Amino acid sequence: MQKLLFVFNPHAGKGQIKNKLLQIVDLMVKEEYDVTIYPTQAREDALNIVKNRAEEFDLIVCCGGDGTLDEAVSGMMLSSKKVPLGYIPAGSTNDFANSLKIPKDMVKAAKAAVSGRKFACDVGTFNGNPFIYVAAFGIFTAVSYKTPQEWKNILGHVAYILEAAKSLPEISSYFLRVEHDGEVIEDEFIYGMITNSNSVGGFKNMTGKNVLLDDGKFEVTLIRMPKNIVELNAILASLTNLIDDTDLIYSFKSDHITFISEEEISWTLDGEFGGSHREATVKNMQQALEIMVKN
């Protein structure tokens, strides 16, 4: 009998896993898995159990938000044996699950996790630390922490834009040297993101066109410091309407990017705090992880 480790965050997405837990575990058993269940108790719990115990199992399924997924992926990349990873999304945005067309319904997602097909997707490293779909710095990363949850629910990404526009006078900008593929960019930026996803923070298509999750390339978006509210509006229109007609945004694909700045910059990795750094090297590990998706 094949062995399955089911790791879930009991608090993700208002704790909705509690209503579906029996159905999900029943489904796993019916697929003839010997199931070990582990509800996470603290931060980095998912990372540690996956890292230390992956070799005992044939499949690991995690359930939670982007943070739980990020921990499970990091644990897998650090473990001595790589096994396929299933994902049941239970957060509020679930950008990466949407990119992989993993169903929003938990039971359907569980079905894909235990009886779907394997998809080898790219994984990123940020100064050696694994991340699955986004490394970012700047304005919108702070906004996502500051915007009240009920605003996010009602207004979606409009809330982000309102909050961003409101904080124009206090926008921090960073002078950066960006090196990639033999090119060097030196400019003042308010935001940057390196992504492997079709959406970020629920913004669809913000990451660019023709996004493939297994092509060994990241989509890179860097936003220059706007001089006034007109330029900020041009940036926001470009991001939300997919009109790439502003020279305020750099966008390109790359598998290896280095950022150098005079001051420390706070980064987020998959929506979680990734530390403050003066120098950051981001690399793409092509098809480094097998994730279960719908047949």
Side-chain angles (χ1 to χ4, degrees):
M1 198 181 231
Q2 289 202 306
K3 292 187 164 190
L4 185 156
L5 173 63
F6 180 37
V7 180
F8 69 94
N9 176 354
H11 306 294
K14 305 189 185 81
Q16 53 187 331
I17 177 76
K18 294 184 180 92
N19 305 326
K20 305 281 185 186
L21 195 56
L22 276 173
Q23 257 179 294
I24 290 169
V25 175
D26 185 58
L27 194 148
M28 291 170 169
V29 172
K30 282 188 167 67
E31 288 291 330
E32 301 192 339
Y33 279 101
D34 176 5
V35 184
T36 300
I37 302 171
Y38 186 86
T40 59
Q41 307 295 306
R43 202 185 157 100
E44 300 209 332
D45 239 8
L47 186 155
N48 290 321
I49 193 165
V50 173
K51 180 178 88 171
N52 297 329
R53 297 193 59 189
E55 61 188 33
E56 299 169 34
F57 297 93
D58 303 289
L59 174 66
I60 292 179
V61 178
C62 70
C63 176
D66 290 339
T68 307
L69 174 67
D70 178 77
E71 284 195 22
V73 168
S74 297
M76 190 69 78
M77 298 314 294
L78 297 167
S79 76
S80 55
K81 178 188 168 194
K82 307 280 181 289
V83 300
L85 183 68
Y87 178 44
I88 302 171
S92 43
T93 44
N94 304 315
D95 290 306
F96 193 65
N98 294 338
S99 299
L100 287 172
K101 299 184 170 56
I102 291 172
K104 286 185 173 63
D105 178 272
M106 283 184 165
V107 178
K108 286 180 180 164
K111 183 82 179 154
V114 294
S115 60
R117 64 182 175 87
K118 295 170 191 169
F119 171 74
C121 77
D122 300 347
V123 175
T125 62
F126 177 93
N127 285 352
N129 292 321
F131 68 95
I132 188 70
Y133 80 94
V134 60
F137 70 87
I139 174 174
F140 294 104
T141 52
V143 165
S144 67
Y145 300 134
K146 287 200 318 200
T147 309
Q149 184 61 48
E150 55 270 27
W151 271 37
K152 291 182 197 173
N153 296 347
I154 298 163
L155 295 168
H157 68 241
V158 180
Y160 286 77
I161 292 166
L162 288 173
E163 192 72 29
K166 216 165 64 182
S167 60
L168 182 63
E170 54 182 87
I171 288 178
S172 298
S173 62
Y174 309 94
F175 189 82
L176 281 171
R177 176 183 170 93
V178 182
E179 301 170 357
H180 73 97
D181 307 290
E183 279 186 51
V184 174
I185 300 167
E186 290 190 327
D187 214 326
E188 195 178 348
F189 298 106
I190 58 166
Y191 181 71
M193 63 179 179
I194 302 97
T195 58
N196 193 39
S197 173
N198 291 316
S199 69
V200 167
F203 287 79
K204 271 274 177 359
N205 304 318
M206 183 171 160
T207 58
K209 296 179 179 69
N210 310 319
V211 175
L212 296 171
L213 306 186
D214 60 352
D215 62 351
K217 298 280 185 192
F218 289 124
E219 282 65 40
V220 183
T221 307
L222 301 170
I223 302 177
R224 289 170 57 195
M225 177 68 181
K227 293 184 185 68
N228 50 48
I229 200 83
V230 176
E231 288 193 351
L232 179 69
N233 286 338
I235 288 167
L236 295 170
S238 176
L239 291 177
T240 51
N241 303 326
L242 316 183
I243 310 161
D244 195 8
D245 62 351
T246 171
D247 59 0
L248 293 161
I249 300 178
Y250 294 88
S251 55
F252 55 90
K253 291 178 190 272
S254 181
D255 62 357
H256 189 143
I257 315 103
T258 299
F259 298 85
I260 301 163
S261 66
E262 303 232 315
E263 59 181 309
E264 291 204 330
I265 295 176
S266 293
W267 285 77
T268 67
L269 304 180
D270 297 336
E272 304 288 315
F273 183 59
S276 298
H277 307 269
R278 280 193 186 150
E279 193 164 319
T281 298
V282 183
K283 296 180 186 174
N284 185 301
M285 297 188 290
Q286 187 171 12
Q287 298 180 14
L289 179 72
E290 288 188 323
I291 291 209
M292 302 299 291
V293 296
K294 279 194 306 186
N295 279 316

